[in-house]
Amino acid sequence: QVQLVESGGGLVQAGGSLRLSCAASGNIFSINLMGWYRRAPGNQRELVATITSGGNTNFADSVKGRFAISRDNAKNTVYLQMNSLKSEDTGVYYCLALERYPYWGQGTQVTVSS
């Protein structure tokens, strides 16, 4: 079992920045990949960014060049730095940890006002 606790969401104006954090606990030693997905109103959950235990990253095309993902293995925490935010980045952001099974956080709301 893996438990994920997210933080850092909020309301920001377009062009601003936010940093999301996701702290993992439990059976963390088998976590290979961590990342972030989001669900915009009326849409399905979609990939934002992922990072492997080796540091390989993957980003959705819509966030490339604006978002960065990093991982602190000592703190078992993954971060999503979001810059140049747009109104279309609004949604609920979910942390993912992939161990034997996928584990999801409870979600944190990000609202970008135009």
Side-chain angles (χ1 to χ4, degrees):
Q1 289 280 338
V2 175
Q3 294 79 42
L4 302 171
V5 177
E6 300 140 331
S7 60
L11 173 64
V12 64
Q13 288 189 332
S17 298
L18 281 175
R19 189 175 84 152
L20 305 183
S21 300
C22 174
S25 61
N27 189 23
I28 60 174
F29 299 105
S30 299
I31 295 176
N32 177 28
L33 179 143
M34 295 188 73
W36 294 90
Y37 279 66
R38 68 186 178 193
R39 177 178 287 155
N43 291 350
Q44 293 184 336
R45 191 177 298 189
E46 63 177 4
L47 166 74
V48 177
T50 59
I51 184 168
T52 68
S53 56
N56 294 318
T57 59
N58 183 42
F59 294 91
D61 288 342
S62 60
V63 307
K64 285 180 180 177
R66 301 188 297 122
F67 289 13
I69 189 169
S70 60
R71 183 169 174 172
D72 186 334
N73 290 326
K75 294 183 178 180
N76 306 313
T77 300
V78 63
Y79 304 95
L80 184 69
Q81 178 66 43
M82 304 185 292
N83 300 322
S84 302
L85 282 161
K86 305 175 181 179
S87 57
E88 51 262 44
D89 295 317
T90 293
V92 179
Y93 283 68
Y94 297 91
C95 179
L96 164 71
L98 184 61
E99 190 243 351
R100 179 179 297 183
Y101 307 104
Y103 292 90
W104 296 94
Q106 79 284 359
T108 185
Q109 178 70 44
V110 171
T111 302
V112 184
S113 63
S114 57

